[in-house]
């Protein structure tokens, strides 16, 4: 019965079944729409999407503006809100820092996408 049905995305159980438009896992109780699961898997397999503080999608080479003042370790002054950062690069950073950039007066550093907005 389940030879063509996908396994559960949460517990990987092979005993899934269809109930109207939903797929159901009897072991963990997870319910999902198969089209959404396929689209999510395709997005996860492809390029990841990084959004700024207001929800705009960022890409390599964009110019962004810092939306709040940031403290910088080892510097007497931090980065002021409104500072423009040009030519960003999206990376798999550590601790949520997913933007690699060079800021005038500070040099190369990594920023979180939640503290910038697309200019």
């Amino acid at each position: 019965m389940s030879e063509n049905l996908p396994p559960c995305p949460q517990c990987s159980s092979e005993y899934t079944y269809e109930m109207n438009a939903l797929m159901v896992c009897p072991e963990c109780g997870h319910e999902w729409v198969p089209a959404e699961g396929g689209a999510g898997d395709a997005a996860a397999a492809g390029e990841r999407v990084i959004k700024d503080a207001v929800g705009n999608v960022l890409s390599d080479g964009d110019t962004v503006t810092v939306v709040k003042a940031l403290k910088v370790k080892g510097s007497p002054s931090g980065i002021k809100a409104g500072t423009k950062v040009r030519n960003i690069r999206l990376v798999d950073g550590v601790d949520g820092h997913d933007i690699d950039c060079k800021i005038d007066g500070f040099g190369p550093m990594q920023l979180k996408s939640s503290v910038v907005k697309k200019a």
Side-chain angles (χ1 to χ4, degrees), residues 3-119:
E3 62 270 350
N4 295 342
L5 300 177
C8 176
Q10 288 207 330
C11 70
S12 301
S13 171
E14 60 186 26
Y15 301 112
T16 58
Y17 62 91
E18 287 183 282
M19 184 171 63
N20 298 329
L22 294 176
M23 295 295 297
V24 180
C25 175
E27 291 185 5
C28 69
H30 180 65
E31 298 178 351
W32 74 99
V33 177
E36 285 181 0
D41 293 343
E47 194 172 320
R48 67 181 199 282
V49 176
I50 297 177
K51 296 184 178 183
D52 65 3
V54 294
N56 298 322
V57 177
L58 297 173
S59 60
D60 287 343
D62 282 346
T63 298
V64 295
T65 304
V66 178
V67 294
K68 70 177 208 174
L70 303 172
K71 294 180 182 177
V72 178
K73 220 184 249 188
S75 174
S77 64
I79 299 170
K80 295 180 182 177
T83 302
K84 280 199 171 191
V85 181
R86 292 178 179 83
N87 200 14
I88 65 168
R89 208 168 43 118
L90 302 177
V91 296
D92 288 328
V94 178
D95 201 25
H97 294 82
D98 45 13
I99 297 175
D100 198 18
C101 61
K102 184 175 179 184
I103 299 177
D104 293 336
F106 290 95
M109 64 176 44
Q110 290 188 341
L111 298 173
K112 292 184 178 182
S113 59
S114 62
V115 299
V116 299
K117 81 173 178 178
K118 198 169 186 176

